[in-house]
Amino acid sequence: MDKKPKMIENINDDCQLIIINYLDYQSQYFLWASSKFFAPRLHSNVSYVLQRKSSHVLDYNYMFLEKNGSSSNQLQDAFLSTICSTVQHLELRSVTMNHLKHLMNHSFPCIRSLEYEWANVYESEYRQALQLLVDLFPSITSFKPFAPVNFERMEKWKFLEKLWSNKPKALDEGVSLHTFQDLEHLTVNMHFLRTASIVSVLNLPKLRTFSFSTLCPQTRALLPKILEQRPEDICKLSFSFINWTWFLESLLLLKNLRQLTLIDNILGSGQFQRLVSNLPVLEQVNIIGGQFLDCEMDLWDAVASCSSLKILSLSHILIEDDFYDSSRQFMCEALDNRSQPLLMHCYNTGEDELDLYMSRLRN
């Protein structure tokens, strides 16, 4: 083995820190794991950087593995000891029951946001796994599972403000959210929206963001009910597969709506313009997938009718060549008459996380 000092180990600390901070998270982890054995000062500097990150990802597909592919508890404990006292947001990917049980050996006092995705967890283990998460992270305010959850186990999370739920393991009498009185942001899929669930949603006193899918026929009557009972509270709304003929009048009630995300919808120019022109504080519109407007003039007419709009984002939309106005007349007229700039994103709505999440809900 070459025992000569490695070049990077000879660089001063400031230069090492610049290099470390330039790397992506996965590369930082591998540098941390490998430098432990050949470059102690570099390892110390990588640990310094990792300890100051508020967000971490534990991906058990590649982390903590030995050469034979088995899990190294020693490596895992060393890494968790490095980050556990400072991490605030944690993502658990490809996590198993054994991984969760091993996490119990550590304390995470600052965790406030949690995401997880199971690997090889049987349905009979969901309750036990969720109970372990509740015990591990008692003070979280944000929870995003890519797996079924049981709300009965979650009642100890008294400070929960944000909740994403795609496959709730409902109790016989239906899912109730009455325990989560601090809940401000809720994202659910179409299977969540039952009558019993909606009653508890409508009674949440602090709810401000409600994102949902409306593919199933039984949800068609629920959207008007939600919007009519809580129109002044909702400032951010996302949904997919809406029938504008049914829901436009209800959407016009959202006078405090600031951000609207439309996923896989069919936009009619007259309906879309009427909607945005009647939402007085609307600041951001995200259009993800679906069928777009017929021509560029319709787009700029809608922009011109919404003076509060600051951000327009278009993502995953096929726009034909004949959509565009070569003279740029309508765009110039709409923008020249605005009192504030308009920021326009294409292929980056700023809602990429939501886009990915909604695609998972539909699969």
Side-chain angles (χ1 to χ4, degrees), residues 338-354:
R338 291 179 58 83
S339 59
Q340 60 183 343
L342 177 69
L343 179 63
M344 190 168 181
H345 295 293
C346 293
Y347 302 104
N348 177 15
T349 64
E351 292 287 288
D352 299 311
E353 182 181 2
L354 174 64

Side-chain angles (χ1 to χ4, degrees), residues 41-94:
R41 187 166 59 88
L42 176 61
H43 181 77
S44 177
N45 282 332
V46 181
S47 297
Y48 175 86
V49 170
L50 292 172
Q51 285 172 344
R52 279 149 183 78
K53 286 183 177 293
S54 61
S55 179
H56 288 273
V57 179
L58 301 186
D59 191 333
Y60 290 92
N61 276 324
Y62 71 86
M63 299 175 75
F64 319 130
L65 298 180
E66 296 179 323
K67 289 184 178 180
N68 60 6
S70 61
S71 180
S72 169
N73 289 338
Q74 184 177 3
L75 186 62
Q76 183 177 177
D77 284 333
F79 186 78
L80 292 176
S81 296
T82 300
I83 69 168
C84 66
S85 63
T86 56
V87 57
Q88 299 176 30
H89 172 79
L90 185 63
E91 294 182 37
L92 301 174
R93 298 179 182 174
S94 301

Side-chain angles (χ1 to χ4, degrees), residues 25 49 55 59 75 99 101 135 151 175 177 186 198 211 235 245 308 346:
Y25 186 83
V49 170
S55 179
D59 191 333
L75 186 62
H99 296 145
K101 291 175 180 178
D135 293 339
F151 289 88
V175 175
L177 298 178
L186 178 64
I198 289 302
S211 304
C235 63
T245 303
S308 60
C346 293

Side-chain angles (χ1 to χ4, degrees), residues 175-353:
V175 175
S176 175
L177 298 178
H178 71 276
T179 302
F180 310 110
Q181 292 297 293
D182 288 329
L183 201 64
E184 297 180 9
H185 310 277
L186 178 64
T187 298
V188 296
N189 76 338
M190 55 196 176
H191 303 295
F192 180 93
L193 296 175
R194 315 183 198 188
T195 302
S197 304
I198 289 302
V199 171
S200 64
V201 169
L202 295 179
N203 289 328
L204 292 172
K206 298 184 179 181
L207 186 67
R208 295 295 179 270
T209 301
F210 191 30
S211 304
F212 52 89
S213 169
T214 56
L215 180 58
C216 289
Q218 61 263 36
T219 67
R220 292 174 181 170
L222 296 178
L223 179 57
K225 183 177 181 180
I226 296 167
L227 301 182
E228 288 167 10
Q229 290 192 224
R230 301 296 298 270
E232 297 180 358
D233 294 331
I234 298 177
C235 63
K236 180 179 178 182
L237 188 65
S238 310
F239 50 77
S240 57
F241 304 109
I242 185 175
N243 185 311
W244 291 89
T245 303
W246 293 331
F247 297 141
L248 180 58
E249 295 302 322
S250 297
L251 291 170
L252 294 177
L253 298 173
L254 299 176
K255 298 304 182 182
N256 289 321
L257 190 69
R258 295 184 179 275
Q259 181 171 323
L260 175 65
T261 300
L262 306 175
I263 305 170
D264 291 333
N265 283 276
I266 299 176
L267 296 178
S269 58
Q271 294 167 327
F272 181 63
Q273 181 175 346
R274 185 183 174 206
L275 174 62
V276 299
S277 64
N278 282 280
L279 299 176
V281 296
L282 184 65
E283 297 179 350
Q284 180 169 350
V285 174
N286 306 312
I287 302 174
I288 303 173
Q291 181 177 323
F292 199 45
L293 302 172
D294 294 331
C295 61
E296 189 178 357
M297 178 181 67
D298 294 336
L299 171 64
W300 296 116
D301 282 347
V303 169
S305 68
C306 185
S307 60
S308 60
L309 189 65
K310 297 178 181 179
I311 301 174
L312 176 63
S313 300
L314 310 177
S315 179
H316 303 296
I317 295 172
L318 177 62
I319 300 178
E320 302 292 346
D321 290 341
D322 59 4
F323 170 86
Y324 297 100
D325 166 42
S326 59
S327 70
R328 304 271 70 87
Q329 173 188 351
F330 302 110
M331 180 183 72
C332 292
E333 289 178 354
L335 297 180
D336 288 344
N337 291 325
R338 291 179 58 83
S339 59
Q340 60 183 343
L342 177 69
L343 179 63
M344 190 168 181
H345 295 293
C346 293
Y347 302 104
N348 177 15
T349 64
E351 292 287 288
D352 299 311
E353 182 181 2

